[in-house]
Amino acid sequence: MYAVGEQDDHEDIFPVVENAGGGHWQAPADLERRLYKLAEADESYTYLRALAQHGVYHPMPIEQTTRVPGERRLWTSEVTGSDGVVRTMTQVYTDGVLPPPHPYVVYEFITLGTLADIMPPEVDVLAVNAATPCQVMFQVDDEEREVWSDLHEELFDPEGLLNRVVARFTGAPGSGPLLHGLACGAHLCYYNGDPWNTLDWHGAGYSSEVERLEDFWDVGGREDWLEIQQRLLECEVSPWYWDFVLGARLALRKEHADRGPVDAGLWRDCVEATLRRVVEAPEGQEFESFIADMRELVGKILRYEARFRADGLLGPDESVRTIAAWDLGRGSKMARWGRGARYATRAEMYDALQRVSAGVRSTYTSWAEFSAAYVMGRCLHFDDEHFGDWYTSVLEAHHALTRSPRSPWNTVPFQLPTS
């Protein structure tokens, strides 16, 4: 299933995070920074409330895990306390402290409520973020489990963790194609509430990453992932005729550079004439229907662009030149999804991200232009001029990503310096 790469089979199965001391630990993300302060203040109940909102991750051997959380058997170990008593302990972690993905040990997401339900009866101690500066130990008994269940019912809202700009404070790659390639997936990171700048990808947990690829992309294994990743990088997942129609407008602009905006009728005629010239032996009603659809696509693009200008996605004289961003942006996340599902090696993920970066930089001139093209692709794919949630949600992402100081579009230069 998984081709282990040279750098994949490492010994960092569990997180080990050193604190330099002096109370100046640089937490990897907002949650861990908050938990660190709560741990230092001995605010264990408030600590639990934060866990109930965000959920935790637990380690599992890859061959023993299952998509059904209630059927998992948590790892346990025996520990001897300072009082000499041997106790049984299990470990969970928050997202920011997880180690790089391992080929044989994975991390599964679990809510605090489900943790209360599946905790083995022999467990005495729950260690949260063990061997990190934000570590807290909880005694496990029936009363404690009831607290977890109650907090889950009160606080856990999976929708509440979506639609936000999340950035890691530590562990991100330095400036360059890798960081730029990660930034190209910012739309989907915003929508899913994922940190945009991490290479140590666990996503929604191993089984959820596998399920995501299977349900939404029909990817059931490594070979499927390799194929779809390559097609995204080559911009071959989106229909070819989207860019064909846009290309006709570009050709007309070049030909009639002194005439201002391209007339819609002339654009439609150009599309039709070109298709009739280049398609071999065109005949029959099916081809005529396709011609009609392509003429209509011109109007659909123009209407979307008019709405984009009204909503601040495009400037008054701007338009979309190519929809490559739709495939390349998704290709950025596909590289990470493949890593989380253990279909991609670290080297393959790096290569895909660097290729995404190169493709985006060679095609567009700014993050804003890239974003408008991505939105157009999403709308043509899903929205069908309803201007419903498929449009409004990605419009919200665009505005958040262009305004947030944590956004990659305000921290990563679009063009990289040439060496």
Side-chain angles (χ1 to χ4, degrees), residues 238-249 252 263-276 278-279 285-303 323 380 385:
S238 296
W240 62 269
Y241 47 79
W242 290 354
D243 268 358
F244 171 82
V245 169
L246 288 171
R249 180 169 62 179
L252 287 171
D263 175 76
L266 181 62
W267 184 7
R268 291 187 177 95
D269 292 344
C270 177
V271 168
E272 178 174 351
T274 305
L275 284 171
R276 293 190 183 281
V278 301
V279 175
Q285 185 57 44
E286 184 175 348
F287 180 73
E288 295 304 320
S289 295
F290 179 69
I291 290 288
D293 288 343
M294 294 304 98
R295 291 181 66 93
E296 173 56 25
L297 181 57
V298 169
K300 183 179 291 189
I301 290 171
L302 287 170
R303 290 187 290 274
I323 306 177
L380 292 178
E385 290 194 272

Side-chain angles (χ1 to χ4, degrees), residues 58 60 65-74 108-111 114-115 117-119 207-208 211:
H58 65 93
M60 289 284 294
T65 194
T66 169
R67 296 188 188 184
V68 182
E71 297 178 0
R72 297 177 194 151
R73 176 72 180 179
L74 297 176
E108 295 282 20
F109 177 81
I110 193 171
T111 66
T114 303
L115 185 64
D117 293 337
I118 71 169
M119 183 71 71
S207 291
S208 293
E211 188 173 12

